[in-house]
Amino acid sequence: DGGITQSPKYLFRKEGQNVTLSCEQNLNHDAMYWYRQDPGQGLRLIYYSQIVNDFQKGDIAEGYSVSREKKESFPLTVTSAQKNPTAFYLCASREQTGVSSYNEQFFGPGTRLTVL
Amino acid sequence: AQKVTQAQTEISVVEKEDVTLDCVYETRDTTYYLFWYKQPPSGELVFLIRRNSFDEQNEISGRYSWNFQKSTSSFNFTITASQVVDSAVYFCALSMNRDDKIIFGKGTRLHILP
């Protein structure tokens, strides 16, 4: 089955530790995205990547880093510089063929990160 | 600036009632795309519908219908004869031709009471 996997579903970390969230897709999509969701805030874009080895900052990139070494994978690192990292993190991908902005995003199940 | 506003933070209705979720968008682009997503308690967003700015036809899919009106910059979503399984957070979103980002509204949490 094609789709997006995120692991783990729940993640606990101590304050001051870096943590990496996994996102893998087998949809053969070029574009991948990371969003953060807080209660009442909707989805806010952290980083996105339209092609391997390239990525752009979204609206709230400070305190986060990403890499895109493979088409299938787009891991997100939450660094100790992120002031309030406790949130629900969603990964998404999107097909780039045709008019890419016409295409819907496919989402993973999310990772709920709690920093103690 | 581009923006999506979902003014209804939370709605509760009794099962079998009809309910409309409002979405108002802002963009100066002439070509854009509008989306609705559903987020059930499991957390994963599920795509419901897409509309492009040149197609103002309303759409019906089973109990779901969408009303797109460019004159009022609105893309409202109606659920007819609501069911408990419709309980979720619903997001309206906007995408422009010039970049790959999607702008989401803050969502409307819908409670369908048995």
Side-chain angles (χ1 to χ4, degrees):
Chain A
D1 277 76
I4 301 178
T5 56
Q6 290 184 245
S7 59
K9 191 163 179 65
Y10 299 95
L11 191 53
F12 297 89
R13 279 293 181 270
K14 290 183 180 178
E15 196 171 338
Q17 288 183 334
N18 290 358
V19 60
T20 297
L21 279 59
S22 165
C23 177
E24 303 278 332
Q25 56 101 358
N26 61 4
L27 299 167
N28 200 34
H29 289 169
D30 284 304
M32 296 186 74
Y33 306 78
W34 273 106
Y35 293 92
R36 170 181 172 140
Q37 185 177 17
D38 295 282
Q41 291 292 322
L43 273 67
R44 292 184 290 170
L45 182 64
I46 306 172
Y47 268 99
Y48 65 108
S49 168
Q50 294 167 292
I51 196 167
V52 173
N53 292 323
D54 188 39
F55 46 83
Q56 289 79 41
K57 291 182 180 180
D59 301 316
I60 56 165
E62 187 175 345
Y64 299 97
S65 67
V66 294
S67 63
R68 188 86 187 276
E69 296 175 4
K70 297 187 301 181
K71 188 175 185 177
E72 304 79 26
S73 178
F74 191 40
L76 172 75
T77 296
V78 185
T79 75
S80 56
Q82 169 49 233
K83 296 277 187 273
N84 184 19
T86 295
F88 187 56
Y89 291 88
L90 283 158
C91 179
S93 71
R94 191 185 207 183
E95 192 173 337
Q96 292 289 85
T97 56
V99 179
S100 61
S101 48
Y102 173 80
N103 298 326
E104 71 271 24
Q105 289 184 338
F106 290 80
F107 284 82
T111 292
R112 190 167 298 279
L113 173 64
T114 302
V115 175
L116 307 170
Chain B
Q2 293 75 42
K3 190 178 175 182
V4 176
T5 301
Q6 295 180 254
Q8 304 150 309
T9 307
E10 204 159 342
I11 301 175
S12 295
V13 300
V14 177
E15 196 173 18
K16 296 183 184 175
E17 287 185 356
D18 299 348
V19 58
T20 296
L21 309 182
D22 298 331
C23 173
V24 174
Y25 62 92
E26 294 176 31
T27 180
R28 291 183 180 177
D29 292 37
T30 54
T31 301
Y32 54 88
Y33 307 94
L34 296 163
F35 303 83
W36 275 96
Y37 286 85
K38 174 182 180 179
Q39 185 180 38
S42 60
E44 184 173 337
L45 267 75
V46 177
F47 166 74
L48 295 177
I49 192 171
R50 159 188 45 236
R51 257 296 170 264
N52 75 54
S53 53
F54 299 108
D55 182 3
E56 283 194 77
Q57 275 194 347
N58 292 329
E59 177 131 353
I60 298 174
S61 176
R63 297 183 295 107
Y64 295 172
S65 62
W66 291 268
N67 184 348
F68 175 32
Q69 292 196 338
K70 286 178 77 170
S71 60
T72 55
S73 297
S74 65
F75 186 41
N76 296 338
F77 173 30
T78 297
I79 301 175
T80 304
S82 60
Q83 299 177 0
V84 172
V85 293
D86 295 327
S87 297
V89 181
Y90 290 86
F91 290 96
C92 180
L94 168 68
S95 175
M96 276 71 64
N97 231 9
R98 51 184 151 88
D99 63 31
D100 268 328
K101 294 194 282 187
I102 293 183
I103 298 165
F104 285 85
K106 293 191 175 181
T108 297
R109 183 175 295 277
L110 178 63
H111 301 277
I112 308 298
L113 308 171

